[in-house]
């Protein structure tokens, strides 16, 4: 009897303490600041703002601060500091001290393979919200005659998308190398090389350790009037002997192989891991436009993908000798050709070692640049109508053939 009484007394604090706030992470990006709360279980919460000074308050119901979590944490971006303390209702109050007045919203996320229960708070200034809400220019219906007085010259814009970021680490190597770090390092190197080419301009979709939603990546590239979209990733697989470089283009009907299907599922789950609110609305007009324009973009995407694969094959073995297809959300743009590059396998020891080497990253970026330049020798963007987007013109029938 005494033994059972001792066990019950030992367990009593566990039943009484409720949920626990285990960690707080702050991510700053050009679009705003995200604060993520890691929780031991599903927790109801409320959010409101105060001024004089500016701050956002989050009350977590039936929750206490974890023993390893400090009462005050340094902030980032729009957040100066994060303060936590018990609330009179018995829960936990978190106060975000702010640099300025912001718009705030919050949502809860269910557990996934990377994280447990989370509450996400997004903060943006009015200027950041206005910039994010600006619609991308629509795709042009036809090429523009060179004699048209309304045309303007522009450089060839290459949108370079570093996959994952922030809350979403992507694949992880056996030595600890993260896909989000590799993809950003390669994206920056490729952007620097593109910018050194006359007539070219690079646009980085992500230029820091923060998450960008899949559809927002397309929007940002459209805002920059991109002529080509290159999304950079690092692969993973259950078999550590599998290695090599792969290039994907959009397949409207889904993946063409078992591994491509697995990869498609993983990449398209990024919004759930990275912490994006899922918008279930269906824009019928946009869907019709995509159907109209995607066919021409697909042909150009195949050509770009083939040239990238061919040039990257000079610095790494190829997983497969041809461009592969999958229904990646991030490739679903009708306005410009889009490819997704899986540079190598982080789950393969040799590939991971190469991807962690800055010298090899330089060579890989140079090979990608060679493929991009080869593509634009065959396809050149037409001149643009002011306030509109350009279209692609094949230079020759040979250059325009999809491979």
């Amino acid at each position: 009897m005494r033994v059972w009484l001792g066990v019950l007394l030992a367990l009593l604090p566990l039943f009484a303490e409720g949920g626990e706030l285990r960690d707080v992470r702050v991510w700053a990006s050009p679009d705003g600041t995200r604060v993520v709360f890691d929780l031991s279980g599903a927790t109801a919460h409320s959010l409101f703002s105060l001024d004089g000074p500016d701050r956002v308050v989050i009350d977590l119901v039936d929750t206490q601060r974890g023993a390893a979590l400090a009462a005050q944490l340094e902030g980032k971006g729009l957040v100066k500091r994060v303060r936590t303390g018990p609330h009179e209702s018995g829960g936990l109050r978190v106060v975000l001290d702010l640099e300025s007045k912001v718009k705030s919203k919050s949502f809860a996320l269910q557990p996934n393979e990377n994280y447990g229960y989370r509450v996400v708070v997004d903060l943006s200034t009015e200027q950041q919200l206005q910039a994010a809400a600006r619609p991308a220019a629509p795709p042009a219906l036809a090429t523009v005659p060179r004699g048209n007085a309304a045309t303007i010259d522009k450089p060839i814009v290459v949108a370079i998308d570093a996959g994952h970021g922030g809350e979403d680490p992507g694949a992880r190597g056996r030595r600890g190398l993260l896909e989000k770090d590799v993809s950003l390092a390669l994206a920056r190197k490729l952007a620097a090389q593109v910018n050194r080419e006359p007539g070219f301009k690079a646009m980085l979709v992500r230029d820091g350790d923060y998450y960008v939603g899949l559809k927002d990546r397309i929007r940002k590239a459209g805002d920059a009037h991109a002529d080509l979209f290159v999304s950079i990733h690092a692969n993973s697989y259950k078999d550590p002997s599998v290695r090599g470089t792969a290039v994907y283009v959009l397949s409207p009907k889904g993946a063409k192989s078992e591994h491509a299907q697995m990869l498609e599922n993983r990449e398209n789950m990024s919004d759930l891991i990275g912490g994006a609110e899922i918008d279930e609305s269906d824009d019928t007009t946009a869907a019709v436009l995509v159907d109209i324009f995607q066919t021409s973009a697909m042909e150009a995407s195949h050509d770009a993908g083939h040239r990238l694969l061919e040039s990257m094959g000079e610095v790494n073995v190829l997983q497969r000798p041809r461009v592969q297809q999958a229904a990646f959300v991030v490739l679903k743009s009708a306005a410009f050709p889009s490819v997704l590059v899986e540079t190598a396998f982080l789950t393969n020891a040799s590939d991971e070692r190469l991807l962690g080497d800055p010298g090899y990253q330089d060579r890989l970026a140079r090979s990608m640049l060679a493929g991009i330049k080869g593509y634009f020798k065959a396809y050149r963007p037409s001149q643009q109508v002011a306030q509109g987007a350009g279209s692609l013109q094949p230079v020759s029938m040979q250059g325009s053939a999809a491979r």
Side-chain angles (χ1 to χ4, degrees):
M1 187 66 181
R2 289 180 178 176
V3 172
W4 281 110
L5 183 60
V7 171
L8 288 172
L9 289 173
L11 291 175
L12 189 58
L14 297 179
F15 291 119
E17 67 183 10
E20 182 178 81
L21 175 62
R22 293 176 171 171
D23 197 10
V24 179
R25 293 185 298 281
V26 184
W27 308 96
S29 79
D31 295 332
T33 301
R34 166 164 289 179
V35 184
V36 182
F37 303 125
D38 279 324
L39 299 156
S40 61
T43 302
H45 74 280
S46 60
L47 177 146
F48 59 93
S49 299
L50 296 171
D51 54 21
D54 294 315
R55 55 205 188 278
V56 166
V57 179
I58 304 95
D59 286 331
L60 301 169
V61 176
D62 194 25
T63 303
Q64 66 178 18
R65 185 175 62 239
L69 188 64
Q72 183 168 304
L73 304 167
E74 287 300 311
K76 194 181 297 182
L78 298 172
V79 178
K80 291 195 291 188
R81 70 187 64 82
V82 181
R83 295 182 285 121
T84 60
H87 188 248
E88 58 186 16
S89 66
L92 184 69
R93 171 157 287 185
V94 182
V95 179
L96 308 178
D97 293 323
L98 305 173
E99 295 285 356
S100 61
K101 195 176 296 295
V102 301
K103 299 288 185 180
S104 61
K105 65 176 182 178
S106 64
F107 55 95
L109 291 170
Q110 296 296 308
N112 57 54
E113 61 183 26
N114 294 85
Y115 300 103
Y117 292 93
R118 288 173 292 168
V119 167
V120 177
V121 176
D122 281 335
L123 310 170
S124 301
T125 64
E126 190 64 43
Q127 292 84 353
Q128 288 172 327
L129 287 172
Q130 289 174 2
R134 188 175 57 250
L141 291 174
T143 57
V144 180
R146 287 199 174 275
N148 192 320
T151 62
I152 57 172
D153 290 322
K154 80 172 192 67
I156 292 172
V157 178
V158 182
I160 304 169
D161 172 43
H164 306 276
E167 280 289 281
D168 178 18
R172 184 187 299 267
R174 292 171 182 266
R175 298 166 63 189
L177 196 59
L178 298 179
E179 181 179 4
K180 68 173 183 177
D181 297 331
V182 170
S183 64
L184 181 58
L186 283 167
R188 285 171 169 168
K189 288 177 183 291
L190 177 58
Q193 294 185 23
V194 167
N195 284 330
R196 285 195 290 267
E197 292 293 322
F200 281 78
K201 179 183 177 182
M203 173 266 176
L204 282 169
V205 173
R206 174 172 75 86
D207 193 15
D209 189 11
Y210 50 84
Y211 186 73
V212 180
L214 297 177
K215 292 181 180 179
D216 285 335
R217 294 171 191 252
I218 300 170
R219 177 186 59 78
K220 286 175 178 289
D223 286 347
H225 301 297
D227 298 300
L228 178 65
F229 179 87
V230 181
S231 189
I232 300 176
H233 294 258
N235 219 329
S236 67
Y237 195 53
K238 58 188 176 183
D239 181 354
S241 68
V242 176
R243 62 171 305 202
T245 297
V247 175
Y248 286 83
V249 298
L250 180 68
S251 169
K253 296 182 179 179
K256 303 296 184 182
S257 70
E258 180 185 354
H259 177 250
Q261 180 66 67
M262 182 202 74
L263 191 61
E264 176 186 304
N265 292 339
R266 179 169 71 85
E267 298 297 354
N268 290 348
M269 286 288 287
S270 283
D271 275 351
L272 295 179
I273 297 171
E277 279 191 292
I278 305 302
D279 182 6
E280 301 293 346
S281 62
D282 177 28
D283 188 335
T284 304
T285 303
V288 171
L289 283 173
V290 167
D291 288 339
I292 292 171
F293 292 111
Q294 226 162 38
T295 302
S296 59
M298 280 286 293
E299 180 182 340
S301 298
H302 269 278
D303 188 275
H306 170 78
R307 294 172 191 275
L308 278 162
L309 191 68
E310 193 173 60
S311 59
M312 293 177 74
E314 297 178 5
V315 295
N316 194 25
V317 299
L318 299 180
Q319 183 203 355
R320 290 192 179 183
R322 61 184 180 277
V323 173
Q324 301 180 63
Q325 289 184 268
F328 294 120
V329 170
V330 78
L331 297 183
K332 292 183 178 180
S333 168
F336 38 78
S338 306
V339 298
L340 186 144
V341 177
E342 292 286 355
T343 52
F345 281 78
L346 281 175
T347 44
N348 176 272
S350 297
D351 273 2
E352 183 186 11
R353 190 161 48 248
L354 289 172
L355 288 177
D357 178 2
Y360 180 77
Q361 292 174 0
D362 285 330
R363 295 195 298 275
L364 199 59
R366 280 198 299 272
S367 72
M368 294 172 70
L369 176 65
I372 291 169
K373 290 173 63 178
Y375 165 72
F376 281 110
K377 285 181 180 178
Y379 280 87
R380 59 172 171 77
S382 66
Q383 290 178 301
Q384 287 188 298
V385 177
Q387 307 301 318
S391 58
L392 287 168
Q393 295 178 322
V395 172
S396 66
M397 290 302 293
Q398 181 180 6
S400 67
R403 290 170 170 82

